[in-house]
Amino acid sequence: MTETENQRIDLQSVFAAGEVLVEDFVEDLVVWSIRQRSLHHLDLRAALIFDLVDGHRPVTDIVSALEGEFDIDRTSLTSDIMLCIEHLMSVGVIDYVGKIPP
Amino acid sequence: MPRGAIGRYRAHEYEFLIAESRTASATLLLERTFGDLQIPNPPWSREPTPTYLLNGPDEGYWSVSVDGAHVIRGALSTALSGLMWHVNQQATRSPMLTFLHAGAVEKDGRVVVLAAPMESGKTTTTTGLLRAGWRYLTDEAVGLTGADGLAHPYPKPLSIDPGSWPLFPDLAPDGLEDKPNQWLVAASRIRSDVVAGPGPIGLICLPRYQAGITTAATALKPAELVMQLAHSTFHFPDGADRHLPRLAQLARDVPGFSINIGDLRSAITVIEELAASV
């Protein structure tokens, strides 16, 4: 993604699964990015984020959904999720869709 | 068969002929080296079959061509290694199978796969297991089908690197006038009944040799195993839609272990204990 002002990732950003093949191993996933021809192992946290990325839910809702799943404060959790989303996007596992209206 | 052909051979689904050189000793060497891949000639003519021609010696050099196209020129051992390399390339191109860069052995109907990159100890461990009574599928490329879940053999000659020669001095090739960089040894030199047929996989090991370390196995989660197997799959990116589901199913069904190998004897012990426990 070419980062523009509109596409800068924030809590209102929405993402969807990219063009991928997925193998589910209950706790973690193995995902093949068709576009980038690369294979990725998603651990439990990344797999949960990937499952919640549905083309409609903004990042802030993903943070809320995962709050309580991990022994970590909301600020740190938000930071971790943003980093994970940026990584998954960079390797073609998820795609940026847009932002929900403020 | 065309004039001068020594025999018909199969490497997975790739059938080929090897044709006569000018010397009886080279012919004998070819027969000994590639004999485990030989198949009967069909009684009728079929589609044209790729034919490898070993030619020489010409001022001490041998050359290999396939259907007239140059493959390699060098000492006799170099020419044979080049022929083997070319066959390996062709053998792993079938779109029907998933090919793991792996050794494989069988005992009591269960196959142990040793998947790893080059220089990881695949052939040495495979040879050691054959010595311990296991049967041979391959030291290079295991074929997997999706439907039956079987490992398919490719009993090519064992490619034994110099570092392992002291472990198997009796397998030193004869009939070579030059010093080879690698021994190509038909597995049937170890035992006449050593070559196995297809079989279900019971255990996957990812060996990694490092001199001086203590041999130890570590269980892998299925997803970790898939990642490792994908890296060991020939042409994975070109057939990911077929290969990934096969590897995933394999990883769900079969336990996998990473094995750090310090020496051959302890590696054989660890692998046999794992095979007995699964």
Side-chain angles (χ1 to χ4, degrees):
Chain A
M1 180 184 73
T2 304
E3 195 171 72
T4 67
E5 197 59 32
N6 282 340
Q7 289 178 320
R8 186 163 295 154
I9 299 171
D10 59 28
L11 290 172
Q12 307 312 312
S13 300
V14 175
F15 298 87
E19 197 178 348
V20 293
L21 303 172
V22 180
E23 290 292 340
D24 190 343
F25 293 92
V26 185
E27 284 194 348
D28 40 12
L29 301 174
V30 173
V31 182
W32 171 253
S33 167
I34 295 171
R35 215 165 41 230
Q36 296 202 11
R37 291 165 63 89
S38 58
L39 194 65
H40 305 278
H41 179 196
L42 276 55
D43 64 10
L44 178 60
R45 189 178 299 188
L48 287 171
I49 293 168
F50 179 80
D51 285 342
L52 290 167
V53 163
D54 61 358
H56 304 289
R57 190 182 271 128
V59 173
T60 186
D61 285 5
I62 294 174
V63 174
S64 297
L66 294 182
E67 207 171 15
E69 291 282 333
F70 303 98
D71 187 18
I72 185 172
D73 64 81
R74 186 176 176 96
T75 304
S76 300
L77 179 64
T78 302
S79 174
D80 283 358
I81 289 173
M82 296 287 270
L83 279 173
C84 182
I85 283 175
E86 283 180 23
H87 175 69
L88 294 178
M89 193 169 60
S90 72
V91 295
V93 170
I94 63 174
D95 290 334
Y96 177 81
V97 172
K99 289 186 194 300
I100 59 166
Chain B
M1 287 204 301
R3 193 170 164 210
I6 293 168
R8 178 180 290 268
Y9 303 82
R10 178 183 290 143
H12 285 301
E13 295 180 334
Y14 177 59
E15 287 192 17
F16 58 97
L17 303 171
I18 299 179
E20 172 65 282
S21 61
R22 292 184 205 143
T23 68
S25 62
T27 302
L28 185 62
L29 184 62
L30 284 169
E31 289 173 339
R32 275 198 208 139
T33 305
F34 296 98
D36 291 340
L37 296 173
Q38 193 158 9
I39 58 173
N41 280 305
W44 59 88
S45 172
R46 303 201 302 186
E47 292 178 9
T49 306
T51 302
Y52 292 85
L53 177 63
L54 176 67
N55 235 330
D58 177 11
E59 297 181 350
Y61 289 97
W62 297 75
S63 63
V64 174
S65 60
V66 57
D67 294 338
H70 174 76
V71 173
I72 195 166
R73 183 169 185 268
L76 181 54
S77 61
T78 304
L80 295 184
S81 293
L83 193 163
M84 189 73 264
W85 174 84
H86 196 277
V87 169
N88 285 342
Q89 301 300 306
Q90 305 307 312
T92 54
R93 290 189 188 282
S94 166
M96 305 301 293
L97 298 175
T98 295
F99 295 104
L100 292 178
H101 191 197
V105 294
E106 176 268 339
K107 188 185 267 187
D108 299 330
R110 306 295 283 180
V111 172
V112 172
V113 169
L114 307 163
M118 292 170 66
E119 312 295 332
S120 302
K122 281 194 313 289
T123 297
T124 304
T125 310
T126 298
T127 307
L129 286 163
L130 300 183
R131 277 281 170 73
W134 292 70
R135 299 176 73 212
Y136 183 58
L137 278 83
T138 188
D139 74 340
E140 174 68 15
V142 179
L144 305 175
T145 45
D148 57 17
L150 296 179
H152 292 264
Y154 170 31
K156 61 173 281 294
L158 296 154
S159 299
I160 302 176
D161 288 328
S164 298
W165 292 354
L167 296 168
F168 313 110
D170 54 314
L171 297 180
D174 49 13
L176 287 175
E177 67 266 32
D178 61 298
K179 189 175 184 315
N181 294 321
Q182 189 180 59
W183 292 353
L184 284 178
V185 181
S188 56
R189 270 189 66 182
I190 295 174
R191 278 194 318 282
S192 59
D193 66 343
V194 80
V195 175
I201 300 172
L203 175 68
I204 300 169
C205 298
L206 309 178
R208 189 175 65 87
Y209 172 73
Q210 192 179 338
I213 62 171
T214 301
T215 299
T218 306
L220 295 171
K221 294 167 65 177
E224 294 170 333
L225 182 56
V226 168
M227 295 298 292
Q228 295 292 329
L229 292 178
H231 286 301
S232 291
T233 298
F234 289 90
H235 315 299
F236 181 89
D238 297 330
D241 56 331
R242 286 176 289 115
H243 301 318
L244 182 57
R246 283 179 189 164
L247 298 183
Q249 193 58 50
L250 185 61
R252 290 185 185 101
D253 294 344
V254 176
F257 294 85
S258 168
I259 302 184
N260 289 326
I261 294 177
D263 66 276
L264 180 59
R265 185 188 296 262
S266 62
I268 302 302
T269 301
V270 166
I271 291 168
E272 291 200 309
E273 286 175 357
L274 286 173
S277 69
V278 296

